[in-house]
């Protein structure tokens, strides 16, 4: 008896693990099987393992979707796995994308694969991805015709070649066949209604057959090829059976009309899909096509991907900065809203770093390239969106599983209606309009005709494309809409999780506050000195200090244009403050320890505000203190108020003192405060908040926030924060503004709401049409609308997210 261990990739449910174990134990080839959910391992004992893995995978697919069986030794090799992106040119069916993905996941050498129909991209993880492409292409050819695997970097070159070869744009070619077929159909329609011929007149058959072959020839050939490959329940086959069945019962106009409307609906569906895809990608793809390379005194235009580090690039007014670099000549103002969300143009001059994607609004500048196109900011943003699209939410996985059951069920139901119903209920056709059911040449009477027509109607609406297409597109649109607001979701799962958040927990410094020191007030001890004099006196002490607190005092005095006297002698006392000598005498500027050490009477000192305080004494007499504190971000109060309108609790975790933390929370409107926390304490407090309120989102920006970000249901990092925090987060707020929090929640909820609207709408329309067909109130023409028409409507509903304010 041979024992082997497999990894169940994608196993995310303990109950699923139990079902998989029970299913495999029932297989006659298996002697024993056990699944350990904690390690996702499947241990199998069997006399012969030849072909067993494929059989077990089929058994798992029958009960759970998204779980891939991988030999344990193959799993170990993923440590050197490389991920590469390819475009599946010719992919025009979301259901096909799901089938291809399942097939590739079972192939040897493949560590992971994800196909996103919305952008036709396949992300392949393997030791050597390019080596696997020939076998992957062969596997795809065995399932679907006309799909070519092309490396992403070569796709533009392929598009240019096609444009040069083709006299007629490819997207308009279907209109030619639809137009010719429609004209012939219209001639036949006029011969019936004006010429007085019956719809079942055999003299009309040649005309309708020619029209049908022009319209549906490609559909017929695709269906035949797929049948040879063992794929029966696809849209092409079902449409062929429905329309050929209509020919069989001499419903010639209906057979051709249904195919005509199917092709029209399919065309609009393809165009709408392509349009939505381009809208989403245009919103985030700020990469330049060309750059203006400076060579001596000349400017040469070349492809952006050819630029290398060190090249000098000219950026004229109105141009978008093509690559990340440093300004070496000129001065201008840059519109950085596409990258940072900052609405006010910022000044840029010699020595300043500039990011690709920013728009030059005024002067001409030259920049030295610091990063090539693949490493620039615009590429990072685009990659983040594409990576996010490859991460599929649970509703997407549910729809994929549902689609695999829905179509066979409806087809089976159609067979029962056509074959069984006339014999079980002979007179059931009294519901059906007599003219509609009165076709000639029926095998078993009027009731049988009604049964066949109803069954054909069911076949037309049995394809789940409206669901399989619209749900992932809704999430892709949500990711695109968020990126337009400089919010980068790292996957559909993050959007799905964010809509269920019950509490938003935030770090203080750098998240709610700006993370800088600003003088809040100058409090005098008596009337002999004004606040301005106190600030100038303290600033003179701090002129040579490099401490952020001292710098903030000097900066505040300069902003008020106060006259600052430079001390003749300065002594910095570590841990206490500064002793300086000026024309008026000796000035002490520091903390209470400094005052006590020099015998300064502090009876007139009273602390009334939160923040760091710098005490000042002149010639041994306490004259006042300066209050310095981190400033709250301008949008914090409004952002937190908007967040609370969603019924979400807000909380703050910080290592700062209790009084300072509570003052910030009170000003911002935060519900709960947890202060004086060490980095390791933050995670424990987060868990307590989760137990109390439910799913939590944590927003932070520091390295010490990374563990909490990873442990939260949704982790969000400010784009200005530490790389470790950004890496651990599920969402990145590129603007580093608090307003991004309610915006992200709004987009997440809208995305989930629209995706479920599509599910309910598509299923409701299909159910209504099936019921109406059963009772004779709907024919195949209506069924076409329930299929392709509903797909287009759901698709248009999905991209509504892009236009939300």
């Amino acid at each position: 008896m041979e024992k082997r261990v497999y990894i169940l990739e994608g196993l995310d449910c303990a109950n699923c693990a139990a079902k998989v174990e029970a299913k495999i134990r029932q297989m006659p080839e298996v002697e024993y099987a056990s699944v350990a959910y904690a390690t996702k391992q499947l241990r199998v004992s069997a006399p012969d393992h030849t072909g067993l893995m494929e059989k077990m995978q089929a058994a798992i697919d029958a009960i759970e979707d998204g779980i891939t069986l991988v030999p344990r030794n193959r799993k170990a090799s993923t440590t050197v796995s490389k991920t590469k992106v390819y475009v599946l040119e010719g992919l025009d069916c979301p259901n096909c994308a799901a089938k291809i993905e399942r097939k590739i996941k079972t192939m040897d050498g493949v560590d992971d694969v994800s196909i996103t129909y919305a952008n036709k991209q396949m992300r392949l993880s393997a030791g050597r991805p390019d080596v696997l492409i020939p076998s992957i292409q062969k596997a795809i050819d065995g399932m679907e015709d006309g799909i070519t695997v092309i490396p992403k970097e070569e796709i533009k070159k392929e598009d240019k070649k096609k444009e040069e070869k083709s006299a007629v744009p490819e997207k308009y070619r279907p209109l030619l066949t639809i137009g010719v077929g429609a004209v012939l159909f219209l001639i036949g329609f006029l011969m019936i209604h004006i010429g007085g011929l019956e719809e079942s007149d055999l003299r009309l058959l040649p005309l309708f057959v020619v029209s049908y072959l022009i319209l549906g020839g490609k559909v017929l050939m695709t269906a035949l090829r797929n049948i040879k490959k063992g794929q029966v329940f696809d849209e092409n086959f079902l449409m062929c059976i429905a329309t050929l069945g209509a020919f069989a019962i001499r419903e010639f106009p209906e057979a051709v009309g249904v195919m005509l409307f199917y092709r029209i609906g399919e065309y609009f569906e393809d165009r709408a899909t392509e349009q939505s895809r381009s809208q989403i990608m245009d919103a985030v793809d700020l990469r330049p096509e060309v750059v203006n390379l400076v060579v001596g005194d000349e400017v040469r235009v070349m492809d952006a991907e050819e630029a290398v580090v060190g090249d000098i690039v000219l950026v004229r007014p109105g141009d978008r900065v093509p690559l990340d670099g440093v300004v070496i000549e000129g001065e201008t103002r840059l519109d950085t809203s596409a990258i940072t969300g900052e609405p006010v143009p910022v000044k840029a001059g010699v020595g300043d770093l500039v990011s690709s994607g920013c728009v030059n609004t005024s002067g001409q500048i030259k920049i030295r390239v610091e990063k090539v196109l693949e490493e620039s900011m615009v590429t990072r943003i685009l990659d983040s969106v594409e990576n996010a699209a490859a991460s599929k939410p649970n509703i997407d996985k549910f729809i994929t599983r549902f689609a695999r059951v829905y179509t066979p069920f409806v087809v089976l139901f159609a067979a029962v209606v056509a074959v069984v119903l006339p014999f079980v209920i002979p007179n059931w056709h009294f519901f059906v309009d007599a003219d509609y059911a009165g076709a000639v040449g029926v095998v078993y009477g009027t009731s049988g005709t009604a049964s066949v027509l109803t069954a054909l109607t069911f076949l037309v609406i049995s394809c789940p494309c409206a669901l399989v297409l619209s749900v992932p597109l809704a999430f892709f649109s949500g990711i695109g809409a968020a990126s337009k607001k400089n919010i980068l979701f790292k996957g559909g799962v993050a959007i799905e999780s964010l809509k269920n958040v019950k509490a938003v927990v935030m770090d203080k410094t750098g998240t709610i506050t700006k993370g800088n020191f600003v003088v809040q007030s100058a409090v005098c001890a008596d009337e002999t000195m004004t606040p301005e004099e106190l600030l100038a006196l303290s600033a003179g002490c701090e002129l040579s200090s490099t401490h952020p607190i001292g710098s903030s005092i000097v900066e505040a005095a300069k902003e008020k244009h106060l006259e600052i006297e430079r001390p003749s002698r300065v002594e910095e006392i570590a841990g206490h403050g500064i002793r300086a000598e000026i024309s008026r005498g000796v000035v002490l500027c520091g903390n209470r320890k400094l005052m006590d050490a020099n015998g300064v009477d502090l009876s007139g000192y009273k602390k009334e505000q939160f923040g760091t305080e710098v005490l000042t004494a002149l010639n041994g007499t306490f004259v006042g203190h300066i209050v310095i504190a981190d400033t709250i971000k301008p949008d914090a109060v409004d952002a937190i108020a908007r967040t609370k309108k969603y019924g979400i609790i807000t909380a703050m975790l910080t290592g700062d003192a209790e009084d300072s933390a509570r003052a910030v929370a009170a000003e911002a409107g935060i519900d709960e405060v947890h202060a004086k926390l060490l980095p390791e304490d933050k995670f424990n407090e987060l868990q307590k908040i989760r137990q109390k309120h439910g799913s939590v989102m944590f927003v932070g920006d520091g390295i010490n926030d990374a563990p909490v970000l990873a442990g939260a249901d949704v982790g969000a990092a400010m784009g200005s924060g530490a790389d470790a925090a950004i890496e651990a987060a599920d969402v990145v707020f590129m603007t580093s503004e608090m307003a991004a929090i309610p915006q992200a929640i709004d987009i997440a909820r809208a995305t989930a709401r629209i995706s479920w609207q599509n599910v309910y709408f598509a299923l409701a329309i299909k159910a209504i049409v099936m019921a109406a067909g059963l009772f004779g109130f709907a024919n195949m023409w209506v069924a076409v609308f329930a299929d392709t028409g509903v797909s287009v409507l759901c698709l248009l509903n999905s991209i509504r997210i892009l236009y939300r304010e």
Side-chain angles (χ1 to χ4, degrees):
M1 193 66 61
E2 185 182 356
K3 297 180 181 179
R4 289 190 184 180
V5 181
Y6 301 86
I7 304 296
L8 294 169
E9 277 290 341
L11 181 66
D12 56 5
C13 164
N15 189 40
C16 304
K19 289 195 291 183
V20 168
E21 179 180 298
K23 183 71 174 178
I24 294 179
R25 280 188 176 186
Q26 294 172 2
M27 296 176 63
E29 301 91 343
V30 174
E31 181 70 23
Y32 175 76
S34 67
V35 174
Y37 174 64
T39 58
K40 298 185 179 182
Q41 290 189 355
L42 166 66
R43 297 179 180 275
V44 179
S45 297
D48 184 9
H49 283 263
T50 305
L52 182 58
M53 180 177 164
E54 288 75 12
K55 293 180 181 179
M56 290 192 296
Q57 183 66 62
I60 293 170
D61 288 343
I63 56 173
E64 288 294 332
D65 206 38
I67 299 177
T68 306
L69 206 57
V70 181
R72 188 171 62 176
N73 59 345
R74 204 178 90 192
K75 175 67 178 177
S77 68
T78 61
T79 53
V80 293
S81 180
K82 177 183 177 183
T83 299
K84 189 169 180 179
V85 181
Y86 301 85
V87 175
L88 298 181
E89 193 64 39
L91 180 67
D92 57 3
C93 166
N95 203 28
C96 304
K99 290 190 294 183
I100 292 171
E101 182 181 290
R102 288 197 300 271
K103 177 67 175 178
I104 296 174
K105 278 186 176 181
T106 63
M107 295 177 62
D108 288 334
V110 175
D111 294 326
D112 192 25
V113 67
S114 176
I115 295 176
T116 307
Y117 176 71
N119 56 10
K120 297 185 179 181
Q121 289 189 1
M122 175 178 73
R123 303 187 72 82
L124 177 65
S125 296
R128 300 170 66 189
D130 288 336
V131 174
L132 294 174
I133 293 305
S135 57
I136 288 175
Q137 182 67 66
K138 184 177 179 181
I140 292 175
D141 292 340
M143 301 174 66
E144 296 290 335
D145 287 316
I147 298 177
T148 307
V149 182
I150 304 174
K152 182 184 173 184
E153 61 270 17
E154 296 180 13
I155 193 66
K156 289 185 179 180
K157 298 176 184 178
E158 291 291 328
D159 289 342
K160 288 179 181 178
K161 289 180 182 178
K162 288 183 179 179
E163 288 175 6
E164 291 171 0
K165 290 181 181 179
S166 177
V168 180
E170 190 173 342
K171 64 180 180 180
Y172 295 123
R173 289 181 185 176
L175 286 177
L176 293 176
T177 56
I178 291 174
V180 174
V183 169
L184 294 177
F185 170 75
L186 183 60
I187 293 172
F189 185 82
L190 293 175
M191 290 175 68
I192 293 171
H193 292 275
I194 297 177
L197 296 177
E198 294 289 334
E199 291 185 0
S200 57
D201 196 316
L202 291 176
R203 287 175 292 179
L204 294 171
L205 183 60
L207 179 65
F208 281 118
V209 166
V210 173
S211 176
Y212 179 83
L213 291 175
I214 292 173
L215 291 167
K218 182 180 178 182
V219 178
L220 283 169
M221 293 305 297
T222 302
L224 288 172
R225 284 195 294 265
N226 288 347
I227 290 172
K228 291 179 181 178
K229 297 170 185 176
Q231 301 174 44
V232 178
F233 294 119
D234 72 338
E235 190 171 24
N236 296 289
F237 173 77
L238 298 171
M239 188 55 61
C240 290
I241 291 297
T243 51
L244 291 176
F247 266 115
I249 58 175
R250 296 193 181 184
E251 290 287 344
F252 306 145
E254 187 151 348
V256 179
V258 165
M259 185 61 76
L260 171 63
F261 277 85
Y262 168 72
R263 288 293 308 280
I264 292 173
E266 185 183 51
Y267 176 78
F268 280 112
E269 182 182 313
D270 290 343
R271 295 286 69 75
T273 304
E274 193 61 40
Q275 182 68 20
S276 62
R277 181 186 293 122
S278 64
Q279 284 178 333
I280 295 167
M281 297 314 295
D282 287 346
V284 296
D285 192 357
L286 305 175
R287 294 176 303 173
E289 293 284 340
V290 296
V291 297
N292 297 314
L293 180 69
V294 178
V295 182
D297 295 330
E298 297 182 356
V299 176
R300 181 163 58 89
V301 177
M302 71 174 187
D303 291 340
E305 58 262 26
E306 294 179 8
V308 298
V309 175
D311 280 347
I312 307 302
V313 176
L314 178 69
V315 185
R316 301 185 178 95
D319 289 349
R320 194 178 291 277
V321 176
L323 302 163
D324 294 0
V326 177
V327 179
I328 62 168
E329 183 181 310
E331 188 174 284
T332 187
R333 286 191 174 274
L334 298 177
D335 177 2
T336 63
S337 58
I339 304 300
T340 66
E342 172 60 49
V344 180
V346 298
K347 186 178 179 181
V350 175
D352 290 335
L353 292 169
V354 292
S355 295
S356 53
C358 301
V359 177
N360 184 12
T361 61
S362 53
Q364 181 172 283
I365 58 173
K366 291 180 182 178
I367 67 170
R368 182 179 66 249
V369 176
E370 295 292 314
K371 292 181 180 178
V372 295
L373 183 61
E374 288 76 13
E375 299 173 0
S376 291
M377 177 65 75
V378 288
T379 303
R380 286 169 54 197
I381 292 175
L382 180 63
D383 287 345
S384 295
V385 173
E386 292 178 344
N387 289 342
S391 177
K392 300 174 183 178
N394 291 325
I395 184 177
D396 196 353
K397 297 175 182 178
F398 161 74
I399 290 301
T400 303
R401 289 196 298 266
F402 175 81
R404 296 173 65 184
V405 176
Y406 167 79
T407 299
F409 172 78
V410 175
V411 172
L412 179 62
F413 189 43
V416 171
V417 170
V419 179
V420 179
L421 195 60
F423 300 101
V424 176
I425 312 176
N427 296 320
W428 82 279
H429 65 280
F430 71 86
F431 291 112
V432 185
D433 178 37
D435 293 333
Y436 181 68
V440 296
V442 181
V443 177
Y444 43 88
T446 304
S447 181
T449 303
S451 299
V452 171
L453 289 171
T454 303
L456 296 179
T457 300
F458 289 174
L459 290 178
V460 173
I461 60 174
S462 61
C463 186
C465 278
L467 298 172
V468 179
L469 170 63
S470 63
V471 170
L473 187 62
F475 278 86
F476 191 40
S477 297
I479 292 167
S483 68
K484 289 171 67 176
K485 296 182 180 295
N486 306 105
I487 299 170
L488 300 184
F489 283 105
K490 292 187 179 179
V493 176
I495 293 181
E496 199 169 47
S497 299
L498 184 54
K499 76 178 178 65
N500 297 319
V501 161
K502 303 300 181 186
V504 173
V505 182
M506 295 158 278
D507 179 43
K508 182 177 81 70
T509 306
T511 301
I512 302 172
T513 63
K514 292 181 178 180
N516 60 352
F517 289 102
V518 176
V519 171
Q520 304 296 317
S521 62
V523 183
C524 299
D526 55 47
E527 296 179 356
T528 62
M529 183 171 289
T530 65
E532 288 75 16
E533 289 176 321
L534 174 62
L535 183 58
L537 191 66
S538 302
C541 263
E542 301 285 358
L543 269 176
S544 56
S545 173
T546 57
H547 194 282
I549 291 177
S551 299
S552 68
I553 294 175
V554 175
E555 186 67 28
K558 287 181 178 179
E559 287 178 0
K560 292 180 178 290
H561 304 289
L562 301 179
E563 186 176 343
I564 306 173
E565 181 183 350
R566 182 171 291 277
S568 59
R569 183 181 176 188
V570 177
E571 179 186 0
E572 188 165 346
I573 304 168
H576 289 69
I578 294 174
R579 182 183 183 277
E581 295 180 10
I582 61 173
S583 60
R584 296 172 64 180
V586 177
V587 180
L588 297 173
C589 198
N591 55 26
R592 188 165 192 141
K593 292 179 182 178
L594 179 65
M595 301 296 127
D596 292 340
N598 287 273
V600 177
D601 180 14
L602 294 178
S603 57
Y605 165 64
K606 183 183 293 184
K607 184 173 182 179
E608 295 180 347
Q609 294 176 273
F610 82 92
T612 301
E613 294 180 328
V614 176
L615 311 183
T616 303
L618 178 61
N619 295 324
T621 302
F622 177 66
V623 292
H625 64 276
I626 308 293
V627 181
I628 301 161
D630 194 0
T631 53
I632 292 179
K633 291 181 178 178
D635 63 338
V637 175
D638 180 63
I640 290 171
R642 287 173 57 196
T643 301
K644 291 165 73 172
K645 284 183 179 179
Y646 290 110
I648 292 175
I649 298 295
T650 56
M652 182 172 71
L653 304 181
T654 179
D656 285 2
E658 188 81 25
D659 58 345
S660 176
R662 291 200 175 277
V664 170
E667 185 177 348
I670 295 172
D671 298 315
E672 298 181 11
V673 180
H674 305 268
K676 299 178 69 176
L677 299 175
L678 296 174
E680 56 268 26
D681 296 331
K682 287 186 177 181
F683 182 75
N684 295 330
E685 288 296 328
L686 184 81
Q687 296 290 61
K688 293 177 183 178
I689 294 172
R690 178 190 280 122
Q691 292 173 3
K692 182 179 178 182
H693 299 294
S695 178
V696 296
M697 172 189 186
F698 181 79
V699 187
D701 74 328
I703 292 176
N704 60 345
D705 293 328
V708 196
L709 286 165
D713 296 284
V714 180
M718 294 294 178
S720 59
D723 289 343
I726 294 173
E727 185 68 25
D730 302 302
V731 190
V732 179
F733 300 145
M734 297 295 291
T735 60
S736 296
E737 294 177 355
M738 289 286 289
I741 297 174
Q743 286 175 349
I745 294 171
D746 180 62
I747 290 171
R749 292 190 173 188
T751 301
R753 183 168 60 250
I754 287 174
S755 62
W756 280 109
Q757 284 174 0
N758 290 338
V759 172
Y760 296 143
F761 176 70
L763 291 179
I765 293 297
K766 288 178 180 287
I768 290 170
V769 172
M770 288 177 69
L774 197 60
F775 291 99
F777 299 111
N779 55 22
M780 286 197 292
W781 300 69
V782 178
V784 171
F785 168 76
D787 180 34
T788 57
V790 168
S791 294
V792 174
L793 291 177
C794 287
L795 188 149
L796 295 176
N797 187 47
S798 293
I799 62 175
R800 280 196 302 120
I801 310 170
L802 289 172
Y803 303 100
R804 288 174 59 87
E805 293 296 331

